Amino acid sequence: MEATEGFTDLGLSEPLLAAVAAAGYETPTPIQLKAIPLVLRGVDLLGCAQTGTGKTASYALPIIDILSGGIGKPRMPRCLILAPTRELAQQIADNFTTYGANHTLRQALLIGGEGFSLQEAALGKDPDILIATPGRLIDLFERGRIMLGGVKVLVIDEADRMLDMGFIPDVERIVQTLPRIRQTLMFSATLGPEIKRLGKEFLINPKEVSVAPPATVAGTVRHAMILVDAAEKRAALRDLLRDEAVQSALIFCNRKKDVDIVAASLARHGLNTRALHGDMVQYRRTETLAAFKQGEINLLVCSDVAGRGLDIEAVSHVINFDVPHNPEDYVHRIGRTGRAGREGRAITLATREEAEAIDAIAALVGGEIPLTTPEGEPAALDAAPRERGRARRPRKRRDEPRTAETKPARKRARKAEDTEKRPSRQRTDGKQAAEGRRGRKPAKQGAAQQQPREDEPVTGLGDHVPAFLRDPPPAIPGAER
Ligand code: AMP
């Protein structure tokens, strides 16, 4: 099967290869090439790989084959995957659903911040695979809902993040309840001394595999950003498509919903375009991709997941309709142009609200990306909104009662897991940073921070300055300044 070339040599079963092909993956990523054969051999593994490198499939694919070759027992899950955040756990579960499409393995997702009843019901269906955040797993374990004595494969994903969030004591507790004879896979974006120590604690004679973060931009790509207002993006995109010598372009949106909207809008304006995203049925995806590859359409509006699997030689332009939340996605996206020594052009429509994501991209690619107005004048990201946000943050009072920061790390971490609060130490790499930003609502968050404490006297306006006082008044047409 052409689509799975490269995957066929890794030792995976036919049904799995079919699922991989259906996911649109054509070649294994470096971590998949290295890890899959080792996991299939049953050895322990310490994997140094970031989110965005395809690390989930590097363990999920072989695990599916390992489990489908064995026999499960009622109420005895055979695989446990621990992830630091509910979002990551959810993504892992989604990946297992995709890759396991041709198998009958059952899975249960156990994450904080949700009621227990559905998760308990899922546990009642004898899942083979548990995908869990540590706090919720312990809660369910303490309620007597889970037996972990049948676990044959343990995955500790994003171990460095677990460490940052104070989850390691929970992980240690969980590991103590597992059989000693098992296969353990631990993944981390970094391999610092503490992670190595944990490796010694959790793994037996592990093989180490490492892949570099995908952070290099080909020298053949010229990239630029255009500062626009969110409401003007579609018009700016059309202008761009008219002005630039666009032979073929991939236009990336952050959300699938926007992929459809942007594609429909461009089509209404007579442009030769179609949408491609992960919610489309496979035959439509294949058909759309073929139409783009054959030049029947020259503009493809797509999401990251759909864009990842694309291997098209000659795309003249990559246009980011949105600044990607995850800086690695920027590199992946613009890597679709400037391939095989050809000149490529990458243009990003950016709004001021996306300043943080732009900074993260600049940090990852190692330099500022030229920013202009739609007219081509040099532009600067106004630092004011960010500084303003900082200035509005309530000052810490000396006589403040004990705060969350003084509570034991474990309690704090558990709370973070349940309430989706982000930990204070943040990575700027990988999906976690992206997810944090995605959920960020600056205005609201600011408001929450400004809530006066009940025991605090409020003087004047306190820390809160209403927006109408803070912002300059709107210009009145015709009025003198
Ligand atoms: P991960 O690092 O596991 O979060 O994967 C990052 C993204 O890459 C996910 O959207 C996967 O669906 C996608 N992906 C994983 N493996 C491949 C592959 N071999 N080819 C194309 N995309 C992939």
Side-chain angles (χ1 to χ4, degrees), residues 7 25 27-29 32 50-56 305 308-309 431:
F7 275 104
Y25 301 172
T27 43
T29 65
Q32 290 162 6
Q50 293 185 344
T51 290
T53 55
K55 73 170 159 59
T56 315
V305 171
R308 278 282 163 92
K431 279 180 189 158

Side-chain angles (χ1 to χ4, degrees), residues 159-216:
D160 50 340
R161 182 92 171 145
M162 297 267 198
L163 196 66
D164 281 357
M165 294 177 81
F167 282 148
I168 295 302
D170 279 352
V171 175
E172 284 170 330
R173 238 184 107 193
I174 293 165
V175 171
Q176 276 160 20
T177 67
L178 303 178
R180 279 180 179 278
I181 306 294
R182 57 163 202 271
Q183 182 180 15
T184 306
L185 317 172
M186 190 164 103
F187 288 85
S188 176
T190 53
L191 285 190
E194 191 59 7
I195 296 294
K196 293 243 180 192
R197 186 194 68 73
L198 292 172
K200 287 208 178 83
E201 186 180 337
F202 298 137
L203 308 164
I204 298 171
N205 206 7
K207 295 276 178 209
E208 218 175 283
V209 292
S210 218
V211 293
T216 43

